[in-house]
Amino acid sequence: MLSEVILELVSTQQKDPYALIWRRLFVILYKIKRNADLKGDTVTLYQVNGYDMIYTPDERKFKLQAEGITFNLKIDELVTGICEGRFLPS
């Protein structure tokens, strides 16, 4: 579900470089983050090349562990990364 929305927004931006998707992605991820913070539950958002992109309320970071590397991202870093083609769902 989330991965489909992300891919659709990125596809829109590729077709129309002036489409502003950053804010839309931020709002979607913020709602997920806020809900996880309120419940105190770690949430799996989507997969990136077989690895889980998660949000951990304890650390208040989005995390991706891939091949021995751990990415700890703030929400704005994740949104920017998605807009630039990194951290896209597979």
Side-chain angles (χ1 to χ4, degrees), residues 71-83:
F71 296 94
N72 292 305
L73 305 165
K74 294 184 283 184
I75 190 169
D76 58 322
E77 294 170 331
L78 177 58
V79 173
T80 300
I82 291 170
C83 289

Side-chain angles (χ1 to χ4, degrees), residues 57-70:
D58 297 338
E59 298 177 44
R60 303 189 87 156
K61 298 278 184 176
F62 293 88
K63 299 181 91 164
L64 176 69
Q65 285 188 308
E67 300 178 16
I69 299 171
T70 302

